[in-house]
Amino acid sequence: MDGAAYLLAVNLLVALSFSAVFVVVAQRSQSRSSALWIAAGFGVASLSAVCELLVAYSPTPKPWALGAFAAVLCGMVMLAIGIAKLYGRSIARPIVVAFISVSLVVAYLIYDLPRGTWVHAFLYQSPFALVVLTSAGIVLFNRGRSGIDGFLGALLLVTGLHFFAKAGLAVLVGSGSTAADYIHTGYALISQSSTAVLMVAVGLTLLATLILDIMVAQRTESELDILSGLANRRGFDRRVHAFFAQTRPVPHAFILCDLDHFKQINDTYGHQLGDLVIQTVGERIRTSVPHGAIAGRLGGEEFAIFLPNTKVDAAVQFAQKLRSEVMSLPGLPHSLTVTASFGVASLTSKSELTEAYRRADQALYNAKDGGRNRVKIASNG
């Protein structure tokens, strides 16, 4: 078996393996549609290896040569659609259909042109390059780009440009006098190996991107209190600590909120209504906190709010406003009025977090002891 034929067989297995893996990843990914498009892209592109082998050993190579071109092009377009969906973009269907149709017509028209010419080589490779470069642009111009996104974009850029390099190489070293000769040339060996390496790198990077998204989603779910819609204690603590990892010492505020007589609400109206109270209070907190604030349910009927870059007086005003809003929660029986007590403490650095929590808790206790339904400021001692 020629080296190029061996590489075609390897590429077939690699592409099918990627396709299967992306189908599996799609079952857990929030970007399920994107993963399935990418899986389809690798699956369809794998058919080109079968077509290339049939070009070399079939008495009628032209249909298989066009089939190989179509499989690679359609597979890459599917990859581009998947990448666009992954980054919240879309590619218009009419543009996709028109591009594929024109490219197939051009491939058909240039089939009988002399191989190894600039015209033939660049007209053949340009559609592949344009699709991959479009994918690179989608990734590189994404506003929320992270490190792995930048790497993926650069990798796609190199992959797209390498198709133009392959066109030049085909002219310089020759790609066979006919399509059937291609598989026996040194150019085929270089072409198949370079494309395989780059596409494997792209596939692995896309896989890593999707798996990282799954990990982030799972961590978010593990840090979310389902009933209130706020962060749970673990999530609240992690987000507050993460905030202090990238800020300088300035005044911040820490608020503890505890619903008054909550056990009595459960005993009188039942746990279902008690859950509704927690859910409604959580929604009110979520919609009331300013941008950048961190809110969480620490457990039971206790909530916490971290207000960055906020002086204690402004935090007290916010707590008073929230206290009033809790008293007029919608969807509750007219005979039920929910109230809450608040403790407010100030801090400037991460090292003061534990002490700020203790002082806010003491202030909350003072609010309870002083008659409930009120806001108390923590002492500095």
Side-chain angles (χ1 to χ4, degrees):
M1 179 183 287
D2 291 330
Y6 175 78
L7 275 176
L8 283 171
V10 171
N11 290 346
L12 172 64
L13 293 175
V14 170
L16 289 176
S17 298
F18 269 122
S19 181
V21 169
F22 278 105
V23 168
V24 173
V25 169
Q27 309 311 310
R28 298 295 301 273
S29 176
Q30 290 185 317
S31 306
R32 185 173 186 273
S33 177
S34 170
L36 289 176
W37 274 104
I38 294 171
F42 276 105
V44 170
S46 71
L47 299 176
S48 66
V50 177
C51 291
E52 290 283 9
L53 290 171
L54 290 171
V55 168
Y57 302 109
S58 169
T60 55
K62 185 172 184 178
W64 299 114
L66 294 175
F69 176 89
V72 174
L73 182 63
C74 291
M76 288 184 174
V77 168
M78 289 176 175
L79 280 173
I81 293 173
I83 291 171
K85 287 181 175 293
L86 182 61
Y87 288 90
R89 306 287 290 275
S90 62
I91 302 176
R93 184 176 298 179
I95 293 177
V96 170
V97 173
F99 177 78
I100 292 176
S101 300
V102 170
S103 298
L104 291 176
V105 169
V106 170
Y108 178 83
L109 293 175
I110 67 172
Y111 179 81
D112 293 319
L113 291 179
R115 296 174 63 84
T117 63
W118 291 102
V119 173
H120 182 279
F122 276 92
L123 286 179
Y124 187 88
Q125 298 290 348
S126 291
F128 307 141
L130 291 175
V131 173
V132 180
L133 290 175
T134 298
S135 301
I138 289 171
V139 178
L140 291 174
F141 290 102
N142 177 53
R143 291 184 179 179
R145 191 174 72 241
S146 64
I148 193 169
D149 297 327
F151 179 76
L152 174 61
L155 195 57
L156 288 168
L157 181 62
V158 171
T159 303
L161 294 176
H162 114 283
F163 284 105
F164 289 129
K166 284 189 4 175
L169 187 64
V171 175
L172 294 176
V173 304
S175 58
S177 57
T178 66
D181 295 333
Y182 161 77
I183 199 171
H184 305 294
T185 64
Y187 168 77
L189 191 62
I190 298 172
S191 174
Q192 290 298 321
S193 58
S194 62
T195 302
V197 168
L198 288 170
M199 292 311 295
V200 165
V202 168
L204 289 174
T205 307
L206 282 170
L207 189 59
T209 302
L210 287 167
I211 290 175
L212 285 174
D213 285 347
I214 292 173
M215 293 172 63
V216 169
Q218 288 183 333
R219 186 179 70 180
T220 300
E221 290 177 4
S222 71
E223 296 180 349
L224 180 68
D225 177 65
I226 302 300
L227 186 58
S228 67
L230 304 174
N232 58 23
R233 183 158 201 150
R234 180 199 299 175
F236 179 81
D237 289 343
R238 187 192 65 79
R239 293 173 196 180
V240 172
H241 280 81
F243 170 83
F244 277 109
Q246 50 187 344
T247 188
R248 57 187 178 84
V250 293
H252 310 295
F254 189 82
I255 301 174
L256 283 180
C257 164
D258 192 88
L259 302 182
D260 298 327
H261 302 296
F262 186 71
K263 183 178 184 302
Q264 185 177 334
I265 294 174
N266 277 331
D267 292 343
T268 304
Y269 295 93
H271 287 278
Q272 185 173 2
L273 186 64
D275 288 350
L276 178 61
V277 170
I278 295 294
Q279 181 181 1
T280 310
V281 170
E283 182 178 355
R284 183 56 54 92
I285 292 174
R286 192 168 62 252
T287 57
S288 298
V289 294
H291 178 73
I294 303 168
R297 180 188 177 200
L298 302 187
E301 64 272 24
E302 187 177 38
F303 300 85
I305 302 168
F306 176 75
L307 298 175
N309 307 314
T310 304
K311 294 182 178 179
V312 69
D313 291 343
V316 168
Q317 291 180 5
F318 172 80
Q320 290 285 15
K321 179 175 180 292
L322 185 58
R323 183 186 65 82
S324 298
E325 292 178 352
V326 168
M327 295 175 65
S328 57
L329 294 175
L332 301 181
H334 295 297
S335 58
L336 173 62
T337 299
V338 179
T339 63
S341 300
F342 296 79
V344 182
S346 62
L347 68 159
T348 58
S349 65
K350 181 179 178 180
S351 62
E352 300 175 28
L353 266 174
T354 302
E355 179 60 18
Y357 181 89
R358 186 195 67 78
R359 291 190 295 110
D361 191 52
Q362 182 60 50
L364 174 61
Y365 175 81
N366 293 338
K368 293 280 191 182
D369 195 47
R372 295 181 171 83
N373 191 26
R374 61 196 63 215
V375 177
K376 288 290 186 179
I377 305 175
S379 63
N380 293 325

